[in-house]
Amino acid sequence: MTSVTENIPVDNEPQAPELLGPRALMWRKFRRHRIAYFSLWIVGIIYFIALFGDFVAPQAHDERNRRAIFAPPQGIHFIVEEEDGSRHFQIHARRLQMEIDRATMRRTYEEDPNDIIPLGFFVEGHEYDLLWMIPSNTHLFGPVDADDHVYFFGSDRLGRDILSRIIIGTKISMSIGLVGVAISLIVGVTLGGISGYYGGWIDNIIQRLIEFIRSIPTIPLWMGLAAAIPLDWPPLRTYFVVTIIVSMIGWTSLAREVRGKFLSLRNEDFITAARLDGLTDWQVIRKHMVPSFSSHIIASLTLAVPLMILAETSLSFLGIGLQPPIVSWGTLLKEAQNIRTIIEAPWLLIAPGTMIVIAVLALNFLGDGLRDAADPHAH
């Protein structure tokens, strides 16, 4: 008997499991949240518009046109019909023809299908500084002829393009959210961390301060602080002061959350080991305590951004925040305070209001997704 031994390869060796860090696990969990993942793209587009606003805006936001006062939104058309009946593709808008009713002195506009305004991408227009340093006159989309005017979202009482003003206002409104959250982050983490780490009389003083600030009615507090801003201040200084005013309330909730985290962490074994290893209090806080719940802080700050945006919008709408010539979503909504204006030009309310709703919803969904991804117990 001859035994034959076959060399059969053995591929049943167990594979080592893939080890993922906390950030990779958080990203994988976040991508499963479809609404939050989609909102991340929406927020990214909004901040792209805020960063490259002059490039995206089809016209200068402060350019006036007396023959286009309260002009209605113009549509975009793609097929041009010639007089001989032939058709061809061309992106265009139809020029508005204005008529004035002599009896009521009201303006009416009608589109002329025979008078078109060619539109295109990367067209030349008004000059601006890209990223505040590069001179340019190229715009993403707009009329091919720089002398033409197209109002995709309509115009206001001075004949200014609403779309361009919303795009430029995105810079102010969205940056106030970021700067306000940055201030809240510094103040909230610092005072909340000190309060939770040391406790005792320091904790009592900080908590009583937080309770005092939270007990003050928000609108009267903002009105009083905004009234103290001198009228002759330059717009940039006013912008930063309004940002600080908006941030004065936002840091209190974050400080409470940080305090609670510090109270639960300061007696953990790894914190005790870090102290025994000779680390200072600042090193323990910076290297061990704050990183242990940094994902929670990121989620909380993401949810705080829309609150900052709404606060700025409310202040500017009430006339105690940013004032013209600064353009923000709040100052644009202020144009729609008059009921007569809303009746004649409803786009003054609809256009900036829709932008605010989209931004706030996207940021809220994004914050919810980050919070769920950062929570190890969430499914």
Side-chain angles (χ1 to χ4, degrees):
M1 297 291 292
T2 304
S3 62
V4 179
T5 304
E6 295 181 359
N7 295 325
I8 302 175
V10 178
D11 295 332
N12 296 326
E13 297 182 0
Q15 298 291 330
E18 182 183 2
L19 299 179
L20 299 177
R23 293 183 180 178
L25 289 173
M26 181 177 174
W27 173 245
R28 174 182 289 184
K29 199 172 182 181
F30 174 78
R31 291 188 64 179
R32 295 174 183 171
H33 199 304
R34 295 185 179 180
I35 297 179
Y37 189 67
F38 177 74
S39 299
L40 176 63
W41 284 95
I42 297 298
V43 172
I45 292 173
I46 292 175
Y47 275 107
F48 173 83
I49 293 174
L51 187 61
F52 299 97
D54 293 300
F55 167 68
V56 178
Q59 298 176 193
H61 71 280
D62 55 352
E63 183 179 356
R64 303 181 180 185
N65 185 2
R66 293 183 178 180
R67 297 193 58 81
I69 295 176
F70 289 145
Q74 294 176 253
I76 300 176
H77 305 273
F78 300 95
I79 302 298
V80 177
E81 185 173 355
E82 302 292 347
E83 294 181 357
D84 57 359
S86 61
R87 295 182 177 184
H88 64 275
F89 176 83
Q90 183 179 18
I91 304 176
H92 68 280
R94 295 170 180 172
R95 197 179 304 276
L96 294 175
Q97 301 295 333
M98 183 192 67
E99 295 182 0
I100 299 179
D101 188 343
R102 299 298 179 181
T104 61
M105 297 304 294
R106 294 187 60 178
R107 299 169 183 258
T108 58
Y109 295 88
E110 293 291 339
E111 289 187 348
D112 187 354
N114 298 321
D115 191 359
I116 66 172
I117 301 175
L119 304 175
F121 291 93
F122 303 104
V123 296
E124 294 185 356
H126 67 278
E127 296 184 354
Y128 61 92
D129 292 331
L130 183 65
L131 297 176
W132 302 278
M133 64 182 73
I134 305 174
S136 176
N137 65 344
T138 303
H139 298 268
L140 177 63
F141 183 74
V144 175
D145 189 349
D147 294 331
D148 287 330
H149 298 84
V150 179
Y151 303 98
F152 299 109
F153 284 7
S155 65
D156 62 4
R157 57 187 176 85
L158 298 177
R160 297 172 297 190
D161 182 32
I162 295 297
L163 175 59
S164 300
R165 293 177 65 78
I166 290 176
I167 291 173
I168 299 302
T170 306
K171 288 184 179 181
I172 302 297
S173 295
M174 297 302 290
S175 62
I176 276 187
L178 287 182
V179 176
V181 161
I183 296 174
S184 299
L185 172 65
I186 296 173
V187 178
V189 171
T190 301
L191 294 183
I194 293 174
S195 177
Y197 187 81
Y198 292 103
W201 64 271
I202 297 178
D203 184 28
N204 287 329
I205 292 176
I206 295 176
Q207 294 308 306
R208 300 298 82 76
L209 174 63
I210 292 176
E211 292 172 358
F212 173 75
I213 293 177
R214 293 174 69 93
S215 65
I216 301 176
T218 305
I219 296 298
L221 174 63
W222 284 341
M223 292 178 65
L225 294 173
I229 301 177
L231 298 177
D232 58 347
W233 273 14
L236 184 61
R237 188 184 304 176
T238 304
Y239 162 77
F240 281 108
V241 171
V242 171
T243 304
I244 294 173
I245 292 173
V246 171
S247 306
M248 290 191 64
I249 303 297
W251 69 268
T252 55
S253 58
L254 180 61
R256 283 280 178 87
E257 295 177 4
V258 172
R259 173 182 177 268
K261 291 290 184 179
F262 271 54
L263 287 174
S264 63
L265 290 175
R266 66 180 183 179
N267 295 324
E268 294 288 338
D269 292 339
F270 72 96
I271 298 298
T272 304
R275 292 197 190 101
L276 294 176
D277 199 34
L279 296 182
T280 63
D281 292 342
W282 168 245
Q283 290 174 328
V284 171
I285 293 173
R286 182 172 59 88
K287 294 183 178 181
H288 296 281
M289 300 187 75
V290 172
S292 64
F293 62 96
S294 58
S295 57
H296 178 79
I297 293 177
I298 294 173
S300 300
L301 293 179
T302 306
L303 291 171
V305 172
L307 297 178
M308 298 286 181
I309 295 173
L310 290 175
E312 179 276 325
T313 302
S314 302
L315 287 176
S316 300
F317 178 76
L318 295 174
I320 56 178
L322 299 174
Q323 301 293 330
I326 301 178
V327 181
S328 72
W329 293 343
T331 56
L332 292 177
L333 280 178
K334 190 178 178 182
E335 296 285 336
Q337 281 185 332
N338 191 337
I339 187 65
R340 181 180 176 183
T341 301
I342 297 177
I343 294 175
E344 294 184 359
W347 51 86
L348 294 179
L349 175 65
I350 295 174
T354 302
M355 193 66 184
I356 293 171
V357 171
I358 292 174
V360 170
L361 285 178
L363 286 166
N364 278 325
F365 287 139
L366 176 60
D368 287 338
L370 289 174
R371 182 178 56 191
D372 293 342
D375 186 2
H377 302 290
H379 297 287

